[in-house]
Amino acid sequence: MPNARASHLSRRGILAAGGALGLGALLTACGDTDAKSGGSDASAEATKSGPWTFKDDRGETVKLDKTPANIVAFTGVAAALFDYGIEVKGVFGPTKAQDGKADVQAGDMDISKVTILGNTWGEFNIEKYAGLSPDVLISTMFDDAGTLWYVPEESASKILKLAPSVGISVFDRQMDKPLQRMYELAESLGADVKSDKVTAAKKRFEDAAARLRKAAKAHPDIKVLAGSASQDIFYVSGSNLSIDLEYFKALGVNIVEPSAKALKASGGWFENLSWENVDKYKADIIIMDDRSSAIQPADITEATWKKLPAVKAGQVIARTPEPILSYDKCAPILENLAEAIETAKKVS
């Protein structure tokens, strides 16, 4: 998990599924999932495309007699596919914010047009999922064990019996690799990856990467700290494991590293600091977790935070620990960090 909250680390093993229905009832609700059911234009179009095969990052190959039409995906995956012109039927994961608007992880999707199976950690409505007659379930993976992100561990066996699944790894690799994999997945699902829009987005990403590399090289003394705020704890992420930080580091960005001992306690992801010790590490720029699960910089009231040199200098920008894996959404991430480094004052 990229700078995942400590609650996520503990909850994966202890959350109860709650209210899960028996598999027999679910299969009845699901009904016939072959090409005869459905009848939508999307299904008809998919049938024309012939057999579909995709090998995912678990090394597992999904083979279907037609391109999936009824796709269910983790919200961030659905948002990436949407950028390539592929729309899903159902989503799970942070989708709707408290104000009813789309969560940051939903990207440009119209969330009123998808079935939300679960909006928070541990939620996944299996009955609704079965009712969608899913052709495939797609999610990301934040470990090397093939665990599908936001598919509740307690009910995973029931969920994964209803349709084949595809996992795209975002664990311990640089951002450009899962970006390429999502591009390949979208293409397999029928996306026109040679369109002007996609080609331009890919070029923009490549240009942004070159700009960030140049900025980092010109300002090697500018230290960048990756943080995430909760009520009692400030999390400082290490540059290993997370796809964005690994990529930034590869481009030459000077990432502030927590102590190895502290990282070990979180499986290598982050160090927990009390707000009294939030000044433990010196930084010129702080990039802050933009997910709805984290307290945003404007809402942090701790006096120790406000005294940090980077905060006083106004050198705090958003970080996207779970990037939407389209070139369209990842290019601005690199551009924003490049601009911050280009204009930063040395305050540490």
Side-chain angles (χ1 to χ4, degrees), residues 80-230:
L81 292 176
F82 183 86
D83 286 347
Y84 287 111
I86 304 298
E87 298 188 24
V88 306
K89 294 296 180 65
V91 296
F92 53 95
T95 306
K96 183 183 291 187
Q98 291 184 350
D99 61 5
K101 297 180 180 179
D103 187 274
V104 64
Q105 294 192 61
D108 294 331
M109 283 193 302
D110 182 346
I111 62 173
S112 69
K113 294 183 178 180
V114 295
T115 299
I116 301 174
L117 303 174
N119 198 60
T120 61
W121 186 258
E123 288 184 351
F124 195 110
N125 190 314
I126 306 177
E127 187 174 14
K128 280 188 178 180
Y129 176 58
L132 293 175
S133 299
D135 294 323
V136 67
L137 179 149
I138 310 172
S139 190
T140 48
M141 301 181 296
F142 283 96
D143 59 33
D144 56 9
T147 306
L148 296 174
W149 192 228
Y150 267 81
V151 174
E153 184 177 19
E154 298 80 5
S155 51
S157 61
K158 296 183 178 70
I159 294 168
L160 298 179
K161 285 179 180 178
L162 295 172
S165 61
V166 168
I168 300 297
S169 179
V170 288
F171 175 71
D172 194 16
R173 60 199 61 203
Q174 296 173 26
M175 182 190 292
D176 56 336
K177 294 181 180 178
L179 262 176
Q180 177 63 28
R181 291 293 285 145
M182 192 64 70
Y183 175 95
E184 293 167 358
L185 175 61
E187 183 177 26
S188 78
L189 292 170
D192 180 6
V193 297
K194 304 301 181 184
S195 68
D196 291 345
K197 177 183 177 182
V198 174
T199 300
K202 195 170 188 292
K203 177 63 164 54
R204 181 183 174 187
F205 176 84
E206 292 166 350
D207 290 346
R211 178 183 174 185
L212 181 54
R213 186 188 297 277
K214 182 179 179 180
K217 185 176 182 179
H219 305 279
D221 59 334
I222 296 297
K223 298 178 180 179
V224 177
L225 182 146
S228 182
S230 69

Side-chain angles (χ1 to χ4, degrees), residues 211-245:
R211 178 183 174 185
L212 181 54
R213 186 188 297 277
K214 182 179 179 180
K217 185 176 182 179
H219 305 279
D221 59 334
I222 296 297
K223 298 178 180 179
V224 177
L225 182 146
S228 182
S230 69
Q231 183 174 353
D232 300 315
I233 298 173
F234 183 77
Y235 304 90
V236 180
S237 289
S239 64
N240 294 323
L241 306 184
S242 298
I243 61 171
D244 62 331
L245 301 184

Side-chain angles (χ1 to χ4, degrees), residues 21-67:
L21 300 177
L23 182 59
L26 292 173
L27 290 173
T28 300
C30 184
D32 184 5
T33 60
D34 69 13
K36 295 179 181 179
S37 63
S40 67
D41 291 340
S43 295
E45 188 64 30
T47 302
K48 297 178 184 178
S49 66
W52 182 78
T53 299
F54 189 82
K55 185 175 182 179
D56 74 1
D57 291 340
R58 298 171 298 184
E60 298 181 8
T61 300
V62 177
K63 296 181 180 181
L64 300 174
D65 60 5
K66 63 182 181 66
T67 302

